[in-house]
Amino acid sequence: MPTLTTPSRIADILKEWNITEECSGVSTGSKWSRGEGETIMSHSPVDGALIGTVRGASRIEYDQSITTAQKGFEEWRMWPAPRRGEVVRQIGEELRAHKAALGKLVSYEMGKSYQEGLGEVQEMIDICDFAVGLSRQLHGLTMHSERPEHRMYEQWHALGLVGIITAFNFPVAVWSWNTALAWVAGDVCIWKPSEKTPLCSVVCQHITAEVFKRNSVPEGVSVIMNGGREVGEWLANDARIPLVSATGSTRMGKAVGAALGQRLGRALLELGGNNAIIVSEKADLDIALRAALFGAVGTAGQRCTTTRRLIIHESVYETFKQKLVKAYSQLHIGDPLDENNHVGPLIDQLAVDLYNKALNEAHRQGGTSLVEGGVLTGAGYESGCYVKPAIIEAEPAMHIVQEETFAPILYLLRYTGDVTNAIAIQNNVKQGLSSSIMTTDMREAERFLSVAGSDCGIANVNIGTSGAEIGGAFGGEKETGGGRESGSDAWKAYMRRQTNTINYGKSLPLAQGIKFDI
C-alpha cells in the first residue's frame, strides 16, 4: 500500500488519536484487529483528496468480535443502569471537548457545511444527556390482579446485541442515537458504518474507548465493523443479534427487513423520505421561505428529512415562487468548511449521476425549470461533486415527483381549494417520514395534525421538515420503515418486556375463575 498524504486541513484531527493514513476499522473497544477484509478508500467530496484508507472486517474477525460482544454483554447487563448512564455522561463530556475537531472531520469526509457538522456532534451530546436521565427512568408498570393475594407488574430487561447500520449523510449522530439508548438499557452495540465515511467511525471509537477504559467497561460493549455490503448482511442474518437498526435507502431496508423476518429478529428501520411543506394561503410567507430554503438545500439535499416537494396554494403561488427563486440566486455553493458557503458537495460521483438522471427525467415528464440545475466546474469544484440546487414546476402525479432523489431538487406543486386537497397530495407518495404546514389558521393546523391529516411520522406546523430535536421519537411510516429512534419512549425498542405475577398467598386461584380441583 503506498504512503498517502493526509490533507493538512484534517491531519491534526487524525493525529490527535494516532490514526494513520492506513488504519484498521475493526475494534471491540480498546482492541483493534488487523482488518483483513475489504479495504475502503475515503475520498473527500470537498476537494477529491484521498484522506486515507480503512481496512474492514473479514468473516473470521466478525465472528471473533461477536463472541467478544456476547461476553461483554454478560457483564455489562449486570451493571446498574445509573452506572451505565454515568459512562454515557462522560462520553457526552468527551464529545463536548472534541466538538470542533469531530465536526470538522464530519464536514470534510461527508461534505456537509461546518455548521451542520458541529450541529451533528451537538446531537450526539444531546442524546447522551437524554440517555443519562433515562438511565434512572426505565420504568415498568404495576397492575392489580383479579386474584386475591397476587401482585402483577412489568419490567424491562436488556435485549442483548444490537446491530447498527448507518448511512453517510449523518455519519456519527445516528450511531449515537442508537448507542446512547442501547448502552443505558444494558445492551452492547455492533456498528457497521457507511463505506463512504469510515474515518468518522474510527474517531468515534477512539473517543468511546478512552471513556470505557477509565470506567473499566468490558471489551465488546462498543464494536465497530467497517466493511462493504457483506458486513451488513452478516448482521442481518446473525441470530445472535436480536435487533438490527438500519438507516439508509428503502431498497436496503427491505433486504434487511426480509433477512430479520426470516429469523424472527427485530428490525428498526429508518429509510427513505419524500417530504413536503404545504404553504397555505394563510401562511406567513417569510417564515415559509426560510423553512423551505434550508429544508431543500441543507446538506445539499442529502437528508432523509430534506424538503423535496412544496405544495403551494394557488392564491400565493406566484408570490411565493418569486421569493424562492430570488433566495436561490443568493446561495453560495462551495467548500463547506468555508462558513460563507451555504451548500457543499454531493457525497460522490454516483450521487451526481443520480441527480442528473432525475433532472433529465423531470424534464422528460413535463417539468419546467425555474432554477436550472447542473454540475459546477472550475476552480474550487475540482472534485466534480458540486451541483446547483434546482427548482422544477411539476405535477403531483409525475413519476419522478413520487420518488426520492438524494440531491437538492425541489418540486413546486400547486393546489386549489381547502387544505384537505393539499394534504391528499402530500400523502399520495410511498414514503412517510416528515411533513410540515405553513399556516396561521388554527383549524388548518389542527386538521393537518389530526387522524385525517398528515400520514407521516413527523408532522410540523410553521417549521420545516428538517432539523428534528432528540427529545421526540424520530421515524416514519409506509416505506420509511416504521421505526423510532432518539427520544420519547424509543428506548423500549432496545429492551425486552417481561410481565411478572407474584402469589404471596397460601392458595393457588386460577385466572378467569377456572376451577381445576383434584
Side-chain angles (χ1 to χ4, degrees):
M1 178 67 63
T3 301
L4 305 174
T5 302
T6 301
S8 59
R9 60 175 62 188
I10 63 159
D12 56 332
I13 297 173
L14 300 184
K15 184 178 179 181
E16 184 173 352
W17 289 283
N18 296 315
I19 299 171
T20 61
E21 288 88 349
E22 183 185 359
C23 62
S24 172
V26 185
S27 169
T28 55
S30 62
K31 297 179 180 178
W32 293 80
S33 301
R34 285 179 54 85
E36 296 180 343
E38 178 180 351
T39 297
I40 302 166
M41 304 179 76
S42 177
H43 287 88
S44 172
V46 175
D47 53 18
L50 178 60
I51 308 174
T53 60
V54 175
R55 300 188 302 272
S58 66
R59 180 68 206 213
I60 292 174
E61 290 172 315
Y62 170 87
D63 285 324
Q64 290 172 340
S65 297
I66 296 300
T67 298
T68 301
Q70 288 178 306
K71 292 179 181 178
F73 172 64
E74 292 177 2
E75 179 180 344
W76 180 244
R77 65 182 177 180
M78 300 306 295
W79 286 35
R83 185 182 173 195
R84 297 192 296 257
E86 168 58 18
V87 173
V88 172
R89 185 194 69 79
Q90 293 178 36
I91 291 174
E93 291 302 307
E94 286 296 313
L95 289 169
R96 284 181 170 90
H98 298 296
K99 180 178 176 179
L102 185 52
K104 186 176 181 181
L105 175 60
V106 167
S107 177
Y108 187 61
E109 189 174 31
M110 183 268 149
K112 64 176 58 176
S113 73
Y114 180 52
Q115 281 299 312
E116 290 185 72
L118 293 174
E120 183 166 348
V121 181
Q122 186 61 49
E123 280 195 62
M124 302 174 78
I125 295 167
D126 292 345
I127 196 64
C128 286
D129 289 348
F130 178 88
V132 173
L134 180 65
S135 68
R136 294 180 182 270
Q137 300 182 73
L138 300 173
H139 300 311
L141 298 172
T142 60
M143 294 148 280
H144 288 282
S145 173
E146 66 184 61
R147 290 167 284 185
E149 298 183 308
H150 281 60
R151 180 167 67 88
M152 294 180 66
Y153 70 99
E154 68 177 24
Q155 58 181 331
W156 295 84
H157 293 306
L159 183 61
L161 279 62
V162 174
I164 303 168
I165 301 171
T166 58
F168 73 87
N169 59 333
F170 281 86
V172 294
V174 174
W175 167 73
S176 70
W177 287 2
N178 285 273
T179 52
L181 301 189
W183 283 335
V184 298
D187 300 327
V188 302
C189 298
I190 300 93
W191 181 19
K192 192 275 181 205
S194 170
E195 304 96 301
K196 299 179 181 182
T197 51
L199 286 167
C200 285
S201 71
V202 174
V203 168
C204 285
Q205 185 73 341
H206 278 284
I207 292 172
T208 301
E210 291 174 7
V211 175
F212 279 15
K213 183 178 180 180
R214 290 200 302 264
N215 290 272
S216 300
V217 173
E219 199 74 13
V221 173
S222 178
V223 176
I224 68 166
M225 199 83 61
N226 273 283
R229 176 179 177 178
E230 70 281 356
V231 177
E233 292 174 345
W234 296 340
L235 289 171
N237 288 288
D238 195 335
R240 296 169 293 183
I241 301 174
L243 169 66
V244 174
S245 173
T247 302
S249 68
T250 298
R251 177 191 55 78
M252 179 276 294
K254 287 180 177 179
V256 170
L260 287 162
Q262 185 67 28
R263 62 178 177 87
L264 297 181
R266 297 191 194 180
L268 200 170
L269 301 176
E270 300 289 356
L271 311 175
N274 191 355
N275 315 293
I277 295 178
I278 296 171
V279 180
S280 160
E281 61 183 321
K282 300 172 183 177
D284 181 322
L285 296 186
D286 290 334
I287 290 178
L289 179 65
R290 292 177 64 85
L293 192 62
F294 177 72
V297 306
T299 325
Q302 296 172 112
R303 290 185 176 216
C304 53
T305 54
T306 290
T307 304
R308 309 205 180 278
R309 297 175 293 145
L310 276 184
I311 305 168
I312 309 168
H313 192 271
E314 61 176 350
S315 65
V316 295
Y317 184 90
E318 292 299 329
T319 300
F320 192 74
K321 180 175 73 173
Q322 291 173 14
K323 286 177 175 286
L324 192 63
V325 170
K326 181 179 178 181
Y328 265 56
S329 70
Q330 299 169 8
L331 291 173
H332 296 160
I333 307 167
D335 186 334
L337 292 173
D338 180 346
E339 295 191 58
N340 293 313
N341 291 324
H342 303 104
V343 183
L346 295 180
I347 185 64
D348 56 19
Q349 192 59 51
L350 176 60
V352 174
D353 293 343
L354 292 174
Y355 161 85
N356 283 325
K357 181 180 179 181
L359 286 178
N360 292 334
E361 190 61 25
H363 293 142
R364 190 188 69 80
Q365 293 178 25
T368 302
S369 287
L370 291 175
V371 175
E372 290 284 350
V375 180
L376 293 166
T377 58
Y381 303 126
E382 289 85 356
S383 70
C385 294
Y386 292 88
V387 302
K388 300 176 186 177
I391 302 177
I392 296 176
E393 287 187 293
E395 296 295 329
M398 287 168 53
H399 179 73
I400 191 64
V401 176
Q402 303 287 313
E403 301 299 324
E404 177 189 43
T405 301
F406 232 50
I409 302 174
L410 179 63
Y411 299 107
L412 262 58
L413 312 173
R414 188 191 306 255
Y415 81 94
T416 59
D418 65 20
V419 74
T420 58
N421 294 332
I423 293 171
I425 293 171
Q426 178 204 276
N427 291 348
N428 191 32
V429 294
K430 294 177 289 186
Q431 309 85 357
L433 179 52
S434 187
S435 58
S436 297
I437 187 170
M438 298 292 163
T439 182
T440 57
D441 186 296
M442 183 186 71
R443 290 179 176 175
E444 287 188 331
E446 290 297 331
R447 170 68 66 178
F448 180 74
L449 300 177
S450 74
V451 68
S454 170
D455 64 1
C456 296
I458 299 170
N460 300 323
V461 176
N462 292 328
I463 66 170
T465 61
S466 194
E469 299 179 30
I470 62 92
F474 180 90
E477 302 300 325
K478 300 189 290 188
E479 286 197 357
T480 300
R484 293 296 185 274
E485 293 173 325
S486 195
S488 185
D489 65 349
W491 61 271
K492 293 179 179 179
Y494 305 90
M495 304 193 80
R496 60 181 177 89
R497 187 196 309 248
Q498 185 180 80
T499 301
N500 308 113
T501 305
I502 300 169
N503 178 4
Y504 58 90
K506 295 182 179 179
S507 61
L508 188 65
L510 300 177
Q512 293 84 46
I514 294 173
K515 301 296 183 182
F516 192 73
D517 298 327
I518 299 178

